[in-house]
Amino acid sequence: MVYSLVPKLRLYIRRYYYLALFWTISLLSETALAQETERAIFRTDRINALILVLVFSTVVIIYTRWARQGKTLFLRKIPGLEAVEEAVGRATEMGRPVLYIPGISELDEIETIAGISILGRVAKITAQYDTPLTVPVRYPLVLAAGQEVVEQAYIEVGKKDSYDKDIVRYVAGEQFAFTAHVNGYMMRERPATNIYMGAFFAESLLLAETGNAAGSIQIAGTARPEQLPFFIAACDYTLMGEELYAASAYLSHEPIMLGGLKGQDFVKMLIVFAIILGVILTTAGVGQWYIDLFRAV
Amino acid sequence: MKTTVPIIVAFVAGVALVLAFFFDQRTLIGSLSQELRIWLSIVGGFTLLLGVVSITRVNFAAVRQRKEGWFYKLITLISIFAMAIPALLPSSWSPLFGRQSGSIYDWLFLYMDAPMMATMFATLAFYIASAAYRAFRARSPESTLLLVTATVIMLWRVPMGEWLFEQLPGDIPFFLNTYIMNGINMAVQRGIIIGAALGAASMSLRIILGIERTYMGKG
Amino acid sequence: MQQMDRRWVYLMVGISVIIPFLLPMTLPVSITPEARMLYDFVEALPDSSTVMLVFDYYPSTIAECEPMTIAAMHHFFRKDCRVITLSNIPLGGPTMAEAVTRAIAEEYGKVYGVDFVNLGYKANYVAVLSGMGQSIESIFPTDNSGTPLSQLPLMHSVVNYEQIAFIFEVADNATADYWVSIVNAGYGVPMGCGTTAVSAPKYYAFVDAGQFVGLLGGMKGAAEYEQLINRQGDAMVGMGAQSLVHLLIIALVIIGNLGFFVGGIGKRRRIG
């Protein structure tokens, strides 16, 4: 945690004093240059975004601290996540593998990071039950991150010998080549459980429908609104939008991560009140100043 | 150290990028965002090798052990190198090399890769038909509303359906566009986008502060 | 009735798609307000404006997206607009741009380098979109075929987005979101969007917010644009197949539900 790193940060600053000095001089030079050419260095037109970032960060940190102090935080049930352990158990009983796809986007997408985080949790469960796990990926960076996460999961459960580097495998860099491979795998190996967590595009229905034809139980989660209808139609459980980002915290049951979720919900309530206030003011004909407060740049 | 350094890097990089948003792009701190993205592209380029090694190793092992479907894995291996090697060779050696028009790479892309991609996308039509037939059942009031709305919108988006609506009283296409697409649909899309954006921001904050560490394999 | 083998469904879909190609039917399409807004905006551009046409779609969605780009090129060339094309899709984007622009340019007697330029592809689309705000030449020092931009007369008067009157983004993925948030929001360049039918519902919010001047959704959107510019293209021809398949899916849904209800009534009678 960052709080425990402050003493270490002080140590680094003392060590890297000259680097810090260089940065300060650069920033001051930029400031001086900007004043000369009348270029503003600070984007005052983005103050509204800065306020939102500060409010959001403060709220999340406060709730996280409360969670660390042992305060009980209520979270509603998310059926899709409740079903993960049961679905893996089903795969174990049937002696068939679990197929996990952490999305088809690059690692710089937050959805993919969410998918990789959930993979870690799922890998722990499959390692515990000795259930075969297959994780096809589309990008090499995701391959590297996925292998690291799965290996760590197997080590934590004490099943390092069961870990196989090819659990996470690079399939193809092209969207439909990846889909064709995964569909073929589904029809040949008939995995008992398919878990799709991350960013998906046009292949979402191809994957989900093929999984349905193969008789797999399917749990999907994506933040792409345009793909949600396909997952909802073809999968048994679907996590929509923010539920995907909540999944890692939800599955971990760690109070500190649940605190972050509660903070996010609080900010969402603030946004809801802001929208309602805006509707009232705009309907009354005095809302233009309010709309201008939120003008994005 | 193995855990601390990545957390520090994530914290410094995250905070720097957030700060960069609030400074002009022509300043040092404001240009950090662009600079780090370029670094990401460079790192990503080197990791391409990882993917090629992985796919070659897995498929080669399957071919050598004559596992089920080994012949298709052999075709996979041949395809990878048949496309990559001519593309990497300099076009000055032969017009068939490189990636310009008329090269082996260009031919394989235009006459094999592109049609196959389009075919895979086209299979969506079959899959959506079977998914709709199976899933659109009036089991509950919500699912009935779903199937009625989907049916009406599907009709609206084709000329035959528009002709059908013209025979009915009232301006149904106007109603659908104004109240369904620009009303209910837009509101729901905005709600999901806002929720997903907040979720992403929360997750990003957890990663920056070092609370969320599962992505680097440290539960 | 409610448990038909899916292969019969696939067969019916296949027949529904093939029939309109054997018996062509061109059906008039009604124009949605979003397509009309896009057309009107382009129509109102001063002749000889410099516009950008972005090919941000993969070959897989060529059936939906290419008719939009073709119709847009015709519209731009009719107005004597100067067109800059580029792509953020490494897999075939520049190739498709080249194929579309060259074929249509020949029809109008347009000269490469003077009336249109294909910048090609550069990796890291966020950096590309941001960088072009300062200088297009810094991101694309050469065009798709390696010619320095300084040797292309069209690019002599185009430095960055300030000289671009309109950007038409045709995409089958989320790059349209980045164009809006970086280019439209940051530089105020008017933008229009053409996208697949699956993604189109998401972008109604952007049109409503004024971030897009108009929207084309799927093959229907392309057919609307073709109708507006009075030029029958692949999209209008494809509407026959799309109509039949939509009607088939609706029929299947009705049959499935009839079977569901009849089966339910029969079950209750057997239990009763």
Side-chain angles (χ1 to χ4, degrees):
Chain A
M1 273 294 288
V2 171
Y3 308 107
S4 61
L5 294 175
V6 170
K8 284 181 184 162
L9 275 172
R10 282 202 195 120
L11 183 64
Y12 284 125
I13 286 169
R14 244 182 264 138
R15 273 188 197 164
Y16 296 106
Y17 168 75
Y18 292 104
L19 189 62
L21 189 63
F22 165 76
W23 275 63
T24 312
I25 291 170
S26 304
L27 200 56
L28 286 172
S29 315
E30 299 269 9
T31 314
L33 193 63
Q35 283 169 353
E36 236 179 75
T37 56
E38 290 174 9
R39 254 185 348 210
I41 64 162
F42 184 76
R43 298 286 301 264
T44 50
D45 51 349
R46 290 178 174 174
I47 286 271
N48 51 4
L50 180 62
I51 292 169
L52 185 62
V53 165
L54 290 172
V55 166
F56 185 83
S57 309
T58 309
V59 167
V60 168
I61 290 170
I62 288 172
Y63 270 99
T64 308
R65 292 198 85 147
W66 284 352
R68 283 180 88 205
Q69 287 162 7
K71 192 170 174 174
T72 317
L73 301 169
F74 169 74
L75 270 190
R76 68 170 171 86
K77 284 196 186 306
I78 300 177
L81 296 174
E82 298 278 304
V84 167
E85 195 155 347
E86 187 192 313
V88 174
R90 177 181 185 260
T92 312
E93 279 168 19
M94 295 170 80
R96 300 216 308 250
V98 171
L99 175 71
Y100 187 101
I101 304 177
I104 64 153
S105 208
E106 248 301 11
L107 196 61
D108 58 355
E109 288 279 346
I110 195 72
E111 282 176 90
T112 308
I113 295 178
I116 294 290
S117 295
I118 301 165
L119 169 63
R121 311 278 179 215
V122 170
K124 261 196 201 159
I125 302 171
T126 57
Q128 268 169 353
Y129 292 151
D130 276 323
T131 313
L133 174 67
T134 304
V135 185
V137 299
R138 190 186 162 196
Y139 288 102
L141 274 178
V142 181
L143 168 76
Q147 284 177 334
E148 182 72 34
V149 157
V150 172
E151 185 180 7
Q152 186 62 29
Y154 273 69
I155 289 171
E156 282 179 16
V157 164
K159 297 272 176 85
K160 192 180 176 185
D161 294 334
S162 307
Y163 171 69
D164 177 5
K165 200 157 50 168
D166 291 329
I167 286 175
V168 187
R169 63 187 75 162
Y170 174 82
V171 168
E174 200 280 312
Q175 180 185 15
F176 289 107
F178 175 87
T179 309
H181 171 93
V182 174
N183 281 0
Y185 172 86
M186 282 197 242
M187 294 313 287
R188 286 190 304 272
E189 304 297 329
R190 306 267 169 178
T193 301
N194 297 338
I195 303 175
Y196 314 109
M197 296 282 179
F200 291 90
F201 301 96
E203 75 294 331
S204 58
L205 184 65
L206 292 173
L207 293 170
E209 193 62 12
T210 307
N212 192 282
S216 312
I217 186 169
Q218 302 192 102
I219 304 170
T222 185
R224 306 268 155 177
E226 61 271 19
Q227 304 308 325
L228 284 171
F230 301 123
F231 279 141
I232 288 170
C235 294
D236 299 282
Y237 300 95
T238 306
L239 274 59
M240 294 193 284
E242 63 201 303
E243 289 175 346
L244 170 71
Y245 300 116
S248 179
Y250 193 97
L251 288 171
S252 72
H253 302 295
E254 285 172 24
I256 208 166
M257 300 215 1
L258 297 179
L261 277 186
K262 293 294 290 185
Q264 169 193 330
D265 274 352
F266 183 86
V267 174
K268 209 190 321 177
M269 286 311 300
L270 288 180
I271 291 175
V272 168
F273 288 134
I275 291 171
I276 293 171
L277 182 61
V279 166
I280 293 169
L281 288 173
T282 311
T283 310
V286 292
Q288 192 53 50
W289 65 273
Y290 189 75
I291 293 168
D292 288 339
L293 281 179
F294 295 96
R295 199 160 292 283
V297 181
Chain B
M1 199 63 183
K2 219 173 152 188
T3 315
T4 313
V5 170
I7 293 175
I8 292 176
V9 170
F11 176 72
V12 170
V15 170
L17 283 172
V18 169
L19 285 177
F21 182 75
F22 299 104
F23 287 86
D24 187 73
Q25 242 183 6
R26 284 162 285 191
T27 59
L28 181 69
I29 198 163
S31 62
L32 267 177
S33 171
Q34 187 115 329
E35 196 63 33
L36 285 172
R37 286 186 193 279
I38 292 169
W39 291 10
L40 181 64
S41 296
I42 294 168
V43 170
F46 280 106
T47 58
L48 274 174
L49 201 57
L50 260 176
V52 175
V53 166
S54 170
I55 199 173
T56 306
R57 194 184 62 239
V58 166
N59 287 289
F60 188 71
V63 168
R64 197 173 51 193
Q65 293 163 20
R66 294 291 192 269
K67 283 188 183 169
E68 195 188 337
W70 68 269
F71 181 68
Y72 300 108
K73 295 184 182 348
L74 180 63
I75 292 175
T76 303
L77 284 172
I78 292 170
S79 306
I80 292 168
F81 293 105
M83 198 145 179
I85 291 172
L88 290 169
L89 294 172
S91 53
S92 52
W93 290 7
S94 165
L96 292 176
F97 297 151
R99 288 177 296 147
Q100 73 282 358
S101 181
S103 63
I104 293 174
Y105 175 90
D106 189 63
W107 191 92
L108 285 172
F109 176 80
L110 283 176
Y111 298 108
M112 294 190 75
D113 203 12
M116 284 195 286
M117 279 195 264
T119 306
M120 283 294 295
F121 192 79
T123 57
L124 269 176
F126 301 93
Y127 280 59
I128 189 65
S130 70
Y133 168 69
R134 195 186 66 252
F136 287 179
R137 297 288 156 87
R139 290 189 187 91
S140 63
E142 294 87 7
S143 59
T144 308
L145 185 63
L146 171 68
L147 96 88
V148 168
T149 311
T151 305
V152 166
I153 295 295
M154 272 196 282
L155 274 177
W156 172 57
R157 293 301 287 173
V158 291
M160 287 183 192
E162 287 171 342
W163 174 84
L164 194 68
F165 285 142
E166 276 168 18
Q167 315 311 312
L168 301 171
D171 191 354
I172 296 175
F174 172 80
F175 174 87
L176 289 174
N177 196 56
T178 308
Y179 296 104
I180 305 293
M181 298 307 289
N182 280 291
I184 299 168
N185 163 67
M186 196 194 303
V188 168
Q189 295 280 347
R190 278 179 172 156
I192 293 175
I193 289 168
I194 290 172
L198 278 176
S202 171
M203 177 138 201
S204 304
L205 194 59
R206 294 203 301 268
I207 290 170
I208 289 171
L209 294 178
I211 303 171
E212 174 83 54
R213 283 179 266 179
T214 42
Y215 66 95
M216 53 173 158
K218 313 285 182 278
Chain C
M1 246 195 321
Q2 57 169 322
Q3 297 293 343
M4 199 191 314
D5 190 322
R6 62 187 74 219
R7 288 170 293 184
W8 287 114
V9 175
Y10 297 160
L11 182 63
M12 284 190 272
V13 171
I15 292 170
S16 305
V17 170
I18 291 169
I19 287 175
F21 288 101
L22 299 174
L23 306 167
M25 48 179 109
T26 312
L27 308 163
V29 296
S30 68
I31 311 296
T32 53
E34 289 75 25
R36 168 75 61 186
M37 281 155 56
L38 178 68
Y39 172 83
D40 288 345
F41 188 91
V42 176
E43 194 63 17
L45 285 173
D47 286 1
S48 306
S49 303
T50 305
V51 298
M52 215 175 237
L53 177 59
V54 187
F55 288 71
D56 273 350
Y57 57 93
Y58 286 88
S60 48
T61 53
I62 215 167
E64 281 185 290
C65 296
E66 193 163 89
M68 295 178 193
T69 52
I70 291 172
M73 284 300 293
H74 278 280
H75 199 184
F76 292 146
F77 280 153
R78 276 185 205 170
K79 289 185 61 62
D80 280 327
C81 288
R82 301 179 313 157
V83 184
I84 300 172
T85 62
L86 69 139
S87 176
N88 292 300
I89 302 299
L91 214 58
T95 310
M96 290 187 289
E98 201 71 20
V100 166
T101 51
R102 297 269 181 184
I104 298 171
E106 220 174 284
E107 236 178 275
Y108 291 86
K110 298 294 182 183
V111 177
Y112 184 83
V114 176
D115 302 301
F116 68 104
V117 162
N118 183 3
L119 296 177
Y121 162 79
K122 270 287 180 296
N124 194 344
Y125 51 83
V126 175
V128 168
L129 267 52
S130 313
M132 286 202 293
Q134 315 304 322
S135 159
I136 295 175
E137 198 168 357
S138 66
I139 301 295
F140 294 97
T142 64
D143 73 350
N144 189 47
S145 40
T147 310
L149 291 200
S150 53
Q151 293 177 17
L152 300 169
L154 188 158
M155 298 308 295
H156 291 167
S157 55
V158 180
V159 176
N160 51 35
Y161 291 130
E162 282 178 27
Q163 290 79 44
I164 306 290
F166 174 70
I167 299 175
F168 186 30
E169 154 81 345
V170 181
D172 67 355
N173 52 72
T175 46
D177 298 13
Y178 290 95
W179 277 96
V180 164
S181 59
I182 297 172
V183 180
N184 178 259
Y187 300 94
V189 186
M191 287 194 63
C193 179
T195 186
T196 55
V198 163
S199 303
K202 187 170 88 161
Y203 293 113
Y204 278 83
F206 292 83
V207 177
D208 185 65
Q211 288 163 313
F212 284 141
V213 301
L215 174 68
L216 301 179
M219 194 187 288
K220 169 87 176 0
E224 291 171 35
Y225 202 26
E226 285 174 359
Q227 184 149 304
L228 284 165
I229 63 166
N230 278 322
R231 188 190 168 276
Q232 182 175 306
D234 289 339
M236 288 187 79
V237 170
M239 290 314 295
Q242 187 163 314
S243 297
L244 275 185
V245 175
H246 277 218
L247 292 173
L248 171 69
I249 291 174
I250 291 166
L252 286 172
V253 167
I254 293 170
I255 290 168
N257 276 282
L258 279 174
F260 176 67
F261 283 117
V262 166
I265 293 168
K267 200 189 273 184
R268 282 194 292 274
R269 279 199 184 139
R270 279 195 295 278
I271 294 167

